[in-house]
Amino acid sequence: MTLEYLDAGKAFDHSKLSNLPHSAPDVTRGLGYERILQARSESHNWITYYGDYDGKRHSLLEEINAGNVKDLKVAWIFQAGASGMIASTSTYAFEACPLVVDGVMFVTGWDGWLWALDAKSGEQLWRYKHAIPIDVTLCCANVNRGCAVAGGKVYMVTQNAQLLALDATTGRKVWQKPIGDVRAGESATIAPLVIKDTLITGSSGGEYGVRGHIDCWDLETGERRWRTYTVPKPGEPGSETWPADGEAWQRGGANHWVTGSFDPELNLYYAGTGNPAPDFDGEVREGDNLYTDSVVALDVDTGEIQWHYQFTPHDLWDYDSTMEMTLFERDGKKLLAHFDKNGYMFVLDRTNGELQHVTPFVDRIDWGVITRDGKVTARKYPDKEGEPCHFFPGPAGAKEWTHVSYNPDHDLFYVPVADVGATATRRRREFKEGMPYWGAAVEVDIDNMAGSVSAFDSHGEEKWRHRLDGMPMAASTLSTAGNVVFAGTPAGDFLALHAETGEKLWSFQCGSGHHSSPSTYTVEGKQYIAVPVGWGGWLEGIVPGMSGQGHGAALIVFSL
Amino acid sequence: MTTTQEREDLLAELRGQNKATIGAVLGSGTIDKATERADGTMEATIRIREDAMAWEPGVLIMPHSGVLELTIINDDKNTHACLLPSNGDKQFIGLLNHSKGSATIELDGPGCYWYGSPAGNDEGRGLTAAIVVTGEVPPEAKLDRPAQPRP
């Protein structure tokens, strides 16, 4: 006898098995370029990656201040959770910067997650989950740094190099574009930036010998407006800094994987670029290797590079320069500050890239010397095949991708400093697409770590230092007009420091290390501090002595 | 290096009730390819045989990215479920004893996507399988450089 099958029906969205309302208020409909230009004037929101185009990560909110921050308490916790197997399970991290628009929070996670939350209660309103292949090529971790919002949509990139536009009220996909070649080892982790009627993105994958690029997309349609490669072809400006008769430029790296800043008056987008590939074997790519380890100033309408400044010419230490470019003014000059992985703080004239001065910001630097006028002399690097070379800072740098914040009232930059060395031993490998292309074995020190949140003025003078207990900093700082600096540690402590003295005013143990970018906002006049907490990332390179620390996957929000 | 027959013999030592691995060891199951329709969508059937604690095929190949319509059959005399990856949200279906259902999923290519039965420890016992999207990214997503050597 043949039994008929029971009808199991049709598979449905997993989120239906939840109490999600599947909708959010239509808060981003009226949000566009004009409002983002004035983002700091609506400090009750956090509407773009750094809080404003200038990259300062400084909020004018002051309800929570140095006098009352000791009373800060948990307002709500969002537990992300997960089911099923994911790519790079052991290295996923909660790296995002939460955006907030009129009471609604948009935050990305690892493995293709994006959540819309009620910013007052923490209730999840909707969620989006992109399917990420488990074998996706990820150099460093399964992470995403955030989203962008405008015109009724939320924009994010995915680990398998897709750009998505979602309906901000439902989380439903509006359009999708492939923005990289996963077969070549490309991925994407950057928070997109809305400028005018476009969106700027970059790519990840420098450890796999890809060719870095910065892309501009139409906000409405997703049509690509321009692409600028950060490694020039033969004959293009800068190509003379690569071997003329070789193939090195084709695999040169220089990926833009952290959001840049923007000066609307100059119409320039300041993009940091990553390490050259292979990271440590410089013999196969002789020359300065432009535009690796650089800031490139792009005309946002055309993508044309207007000027560049290279922080580490012919990098042999994996010193990406992707991290923030903070725009500020001093003595009537339009300037740009950058704290590089190579251990030096650079101040440039942002109209033309002219160097103003260079200053070290970490105690131990022995890879080389950069004089105050910018002359670079390399001293220690993996040179001979098989010969170990120890140097400070290690490949994670004196500050990894995580961001400084800047309080203009005090002219102080709050820097998450990592003081860790490493040993690299050159091991040449033949290039093959999609395979790791480092050119060395690398071992990062695990028993000789240090770190701090350090405050430097714009001239490079250190004003105070909050030392961590034998560990580096690996999370962005947040500055507020309440005279407080917020910073999370690898050990899980979320700190409030006095902006002028560095005195510890408050701390909360979050149960997992910090590797994200906190933000602040108000709802109905009440100020909140939001911090994604989830320890992970490229820990064997950043803080190997803490790589056994437990993971987390929570967003914790504080208020008085 | 084992021969094909030796491999089958060794796997047989693991596969089955009260052996070391009740279900199929990852990557040791059957393999099949989805059928492409005229409109570019794809279709395939996945099923759980009685007492097998394994999806069949263990690896399903999609010839390119896009939409896949699955027929899902539970021939087992126990209840299971299926949680599938798809753009937008994971797709869930409960699978009573001897039941049949369907799912429509959308996947980007290329890459390997895992799915499983999120019931009890079905996934650990063998009810984990893969859908592998083959092919290349579209031309507009490729890097502007000459063809590179691959492994």
Side-chain angles (χ1 to χ4, degrees), chain B residues 7 9 11 20-21 25 30 37 39-40 58 68 75 77-78 91-92 109 113 115 119 125-127 137 141 144:
Chain B
R7 179 176 184 275
D9 293 344
L11 287 170
T21 301
V25 177
T30 54
R37 297 166 171 156
D39 65 358
L68 171 67
D75 283 323
K77 289 178 176 165
N78 294 291
Q91 295 296 298
F92 176 84
Y113 303 80
Y115 70 95
R125 288 158 59 93
L127 277 169
V137 299
D144 179 15

Side-chain angles (χ1 to χ4, degrees), chain A residues 282-305:
Chain A
E283 205 172 294
V284 300
R285 49 172 176 80
E286 288 180 351
D288 279 356
N289 306 144
L290 288 173
Y291 299 94
T292 66
D293 292 357
S294 300
V295 53
V296 289
L298 304 179
D299 182 311
V300 293
D301 298 326
T302 64
E304 192 179 337
I305 297 176

Side-chain angles (χ1 to χ4, degrees), chain A residues 113-412:
Chain A
W113 287 105
L114 194 151
W115 302 279
L117 310 173
D118 182 313
K120 182 182 175 187
S121 68
E123 181 192 9
Q124 190 179 165
L125 302 174
W126 56 254
R127 74 187 194 205
Y128 178 88
K129 171 72 176 78
H130 203 74
I132 307 298
I134 196 164
D135 61 342
V136 66
T137 307
L138 299 172
C139 125
C140 303
N142 189 338
V143 300
N144 183 284
R145 298 191 183 82
C147 55
V149 289
K153 299 190 190 70
V154 188
Y155 302 89
M156 70 180 293
V157 300
T158 68
Q159 287 77 358
N160 64 333
Q162 303 284 329
L163 171 61
L164 308 178
L166 310 179
D167 184 304
T169 62
T170 63
R172 295 285 178 190
K173 190 170 68 181
V174 179
W175 52 256
Q176 172 181 356
K177 297 287 176 184
I179 61 173
D181 185 355
V182 293
R183 285 285 198 219
E186 284 198 291
S187 53
T189 55
I190 193 172
L193 188 68
V194 171
I195 300 179
K196 301 182 182 177
D197 60 346
T198 69
L199 195 72
I200 309 280
T201 63
S203 58
S204 301
E207 268 60 45
Y208 296 87
V210 300
R211 187 177 175 219
H213 50 88
I214 303 164
D215 296 337
C216 180
W217 311 87
D218 186 284
L219 266 182
E220 273 308 305
T221 65
E223 178 195 354
R224 192 162 73 194
R225 296 276 187 91
W226 51 257
R227 167 172 285 192
T228 297
Y229 281 97
T230 46
V231 180
K233 270 181 167 180
E236 292 178 349
S239 59
E240 69 282 1
T241 66
W242 292 87
D245 57 350
E247 298 171 322
W249 69 271
Q250 301 169 23
R251 308 150 186 177
N255 292 82
H256 176 53
W257 48 273
V258 172
T259 311
S261 46
F262 173 62
D263 185 325
E265 290 177 8
L266 298 172
N267 204 37
L268 293 178
Y269 176 75
Y270 302 98
T273 65
N275 57 272
D279 303 51
F280 303 97
D281 184 357
E283 205 172 294
V284 300
R285 49 172 176 80
E286 288 180 351
D288 279 356
N289 306 144
L290 288 173
Y291 299 94
T292 66
D293 292 357
S294 300
V295 53
V296 289
L298 304 179
D299 182 311
V300 293
D301 298 326
T302 64
E304 192 179 337
I305 297 176
Q306 300 297 305
W307 59 258
H308 73 276
Y309 185 90
Q310 190 174 38
F311 302 106
T312 312
H314 191 65
D315 178 11
L316 299 164
W317 308 269
D318 192 10
Y319 289 154
D320 310 62
S321 300
T322 48
M323 47 293 297
E324 76 292 326
M325 308 290 161
T326 312
L327 313 187
F328 70 106
E329 283 72 43
R330 189 179 67 196
D331 303 328
K333 263 192 159 175
K334 289 167 84 72
L335 301 174
L336 175 156
H338 171 72
F339 291 79
D340 199 88
K341 281 172 78 173
N342 68 21
Y344 288 87
M345 169 196 182
F346 295 79
V347 174
L348 309 177
D349 181 329
R350 71 173 184 267
T351 67
N352 56 21
E354 185 180 281
L355 179 70
Q356 307 299 294
H357 49 83
V358 186
T359 320
F361 66 90
V362 66
D363 289 343
R364 294 180 288 190
I365 301 176
D366 65 4
W367 67 269
V369 172
I370 305 179
T371 56
R372 195 162 171 84
D373 60 357
K375 185 171 182 295
V376 180
T377 306
R379 288 192 169 156
K380 297 170 73 178
Y381 49 89
D383 184 22
K384 295 192 175 69
E385 189 73 8
E387 188 174 288
C389 174
H390 185 275
F391 54 87
F392 284 104
K399 184 179 78 63
E400 229 262 343
W401 70 265
T402 52
H403 308 308
V404 304
S405 53
Y406 175 71
N407 185 326
D409 296 334
H410 305 314
D411 183 32
L412 284 181

Side-chain angles (χ1 to χ4, degrees), chain A residues 413-453:
Chain A
F413 292 89
Y414 306 107
V415 189
V417 176
D419 187 356
V420 186
T423 299
T425 307
R426 206 185 82 178
R427 291 289 186 194
R428 179 161 298 164
R429 72 151 296 152
E430 182 188 352
F431 175 81
K432 287 183 182 148
E433 201 169 44
M435 298 302 288
Y437 191 47
W438 289 38
V442 181
E443 192 170 11
V444 181
D445 301 346
I446 63 168
D447 54 359
N448 187 11
M449 303 185 293
S452 61
V453 178

